[in-house]
Amino acid sequence: MADEAGAAGPRDLRFYHRDLYDSEDGGQPFPEENPRRRREAAQAAATPEPGGAAWARAPGDLREGLDADPELQAWWPEPRDAPWLAPGRAPEDYECYVIPEEDGEDEAAGVFCATCRRPVPAYEVFGEHREHEVTPLEKALEGAKDEIHRNMYRLEKQIIEMENFASHLEEVFVTVEENFGRQEQNFESHFNEILETLAQKYEEKIQALGEKKKEKLEALYGQLISCGENLDTCKELMETIEDICHEEKVDFIKDAVAMADRLGKFLKTETDVEISAQPDFEDQTLDFSDVEQLMDSIHTIPAPSAPVINPQAPNSATGSSVRVCWSLYSDDTVESYRLSYRPVRDGAPREDPAEFTVTVKETYCSVTNLVPNTQYEFWVTAENRAGSSPTSECAVYMTAPSPPIIKSKEIRSCEEAALICWDSGNLNPVDSYTVELTQAETPDASGVTESVVGIPTCECLMQLQPRRSYTIYVRALNVGGPSARSGPATVHTTGSYFHLSKDTCHPWLTISEDGFTVVRSEGRAPAREPPPSSACFTRCVAVMGNLIPVRGRHYWEVEVDEHLDYTVGVAFEEVPKQEDLGANCLSWCMRHTFASSRHKYEFLHNRTTPDIRVTVSPKKIGVLLDYENSKLSFFNVDISQHLYTFSCQLHQFVHPCFSLEKPGCLKIHNGISMPKHVTFY
């Protein structure tokens, strides 16, 4: 009986006495006993006597078994029989360490608690985390990776901005230093020969210049140091993220949460990208009337050489401005520059474009009030007291494009994707477009979740997450940089969303302003018959919808009048427009005719229909297009009734189609979630 009880004892836990870890010899415990005896002795050490405190602490199922079976009580030895108890110590002075069997790390941390923001074992879901929001570890891992990638994108973008700003800051720094250096040399060369007469004025002027120079250079140098520190921090974060991505899943998710918080805090800090000390240079003139005769005898400074305009730097332009930079030989002394510009000729015979000129004291200038996405040619001359330099060679700069214009009524979407179309908004071609998506709840720049770059045309098919709302913006790009954001457009991935196509609409039909209702008026006849090659229907009074070209499952509903003659279904884009829907192998549809108080329903494909009886006339028809299973199903929405299902070979994409044989209207409901009764077909 003792052997049977031993076999029934707990096998997943091993109990060891605390003194085993404190023993001086460190030898094997219970050297003369077998494993079964050690397990029995350990349980005996944990239970001084059946009525004692340790007995009460025995596991519930084991304690009940011992109370009920005297033979099991005999198997459970009293602690005073344990030969390893030290003399003079009570059984209560001993403790047991429970060492669980080694399990895989993935089994211990099976879920992720979003409330506590840490992985937890799966069995704790029904304990302290019962009311918390938990997700599978793999899903939490993917979410953490997505958040890291989004923050990495924002971090890379901020690094590029700071690097461009640092480059610009260094350029300004050198310009300030060169200009003040030239002015110091100018004063020194002019007044060395008349030092005795102008000593006091010379010292005052040099001191004033030195103070201004120090003030501006210190301010610029401080900004340069700060920018460098931010760059180092960004690069350190990038390296840390790369290291984290190579860790195991659990270690990664633990570090990813902390890293996401760290990135969030860092990206919330505002980086100063405005020059604190503008390098405005004042004319350093003095009243030399008392030494005019001596000054007139000093004209040894030569006219400067021709400046050299630098090529256009990336992201140096906006839609209405561009920053032009140039350089000069170091030995020249310059008091000012004259920058001239004009639009580049497009080859059309017309009058020469007007020229504009600005005067500046630095080796760069931001020219404003320009036309977007337009090329301008610039040239510059340098001037000092001795005269003007030769004109530099011309350099062509280009302004950034105008913002594109999203065609909101041509947006198509489903649960997994969206097709966005837009107008360029520019007369001249642009290099590419960028689409930015944000969660609709956070439409600011910091909420960017995805950015699709390098789009060559004016449309983009994007993969999205189901049951989400997105706010979408589009930018145009050229060599001058990106345009400002377009106006926002909202996309919902709750279901298939489309508008009726005016290009396919029969002349007798009218599409509503929102693009979801088609109307056939009483006695309306077409003003003229469309040509045979036209994409619109001619014989069949029908119209198509622009369904997004994505395979999967699409669902929409059509609100009908039970006394109306109508046809609803799908068809290939190349379906003959001179034939009725369902009269060929390129269309599948449900047709209803009403005559003499009788309803007739047909499910047509290639002029054939099955013998189907519809007893309850639907007021709203649900249409399920299933590419994966090659099926097209129709439903009576009000009573959740399945009407009929076509098995159709969809080798290409199809579009919804709607026809009205008599005056009336059809209203399409789309962008809605698929009902439960539809998901079974």
Side-chain angles (χ1 to χ4, degrees), residues 498 500 537 542-547 554 556-558 560 566-572 575 581-582 586-592 602-605 621-625 632-634 646 648 650 654-660 666 668:
F498 61 88
L500 296 174
F537 286 92
V543 63
M544 278 187 172
N546 286 325
L547 189 64
H554 301 274
W556 62 91
E557 297 175 353
V558 187
V560 300
Y566 60 84
T567 303
V568 297
V570 300
F572 290 110
V575 65
L581 297 175
L586 300 179
S587 58
W588 298 260
C589 60
M590 170 184 174
R591 183 168 67 186
H592 169 259
E602 298 174 285
F603 296 92
L604 293 167
H605 173 64
I621 300 172
V623 183
L624 173 63
L625 173 61
L632 176 69
S633 302
F634 296 88
F646 286 102
C648 42
L650 304 176
V654 294
H655 296 285
C657 52
F658 312 90
S659 174
L660 287 169
L666 296 175
I668 293 88

Side-chain angles (χ1 to χ4, degrees), residues 83 92 139 146 180 321 338 402 501 609 619 625 645:
E92 291 79 359
K139 184 177 181 181
D146 291 342
F180 277 103
S321 67
R338 290 176 60 84
S402 297
S501 172
T609 179
K619 296 181 180 179
L625 173 61
T645 295

Side-chain angles (χ1 to χ4, degrees), residues 189-258:
S189 63
H190 277 72
F191 299 112
N192 277 339
E193 295 182 2
I194 54 174
L195 185 59
E196 293 181 1
T197 307
L198 303 175
Q200 184 177 359
K201 294 183 179 181
Y202 173 78
E203 292 295 334
E204 293 175 355
K205 195 64 179 178
I206 288 297
Q207 184 177 1
L209 283 174
E211 292 176 355
K212 290 183 179 180
K213 174 184 175 181
K214 180 179 179 182
E215 178 183 354
K216 290 181 179 289
L217 289 180
E218 286 181 350
L220 292 172
Y221 183 77
Q223 275 198 300
L224 190 60
I225 293 298
S226 176
C227 187
E229 292 175 351
N230 285 338
L231 278 173
D232 292 339
T233 303
C234 290
K235 292 177 180 178
E236 179 188 350
L237 288 175
M238 292 291 292
E239 294 174 358
T240 304
I241 291 172
E242 291 179 357
D243 294 338
I244 291 175
C245 290
H246 295 289
E247 295 178 354
E248 295 295 331
K249 289 189 296 184
V250 174
D251 294 335
F252 172 81
I253 193 66
K254 292 178 180 178
D255 295 337
V257 171

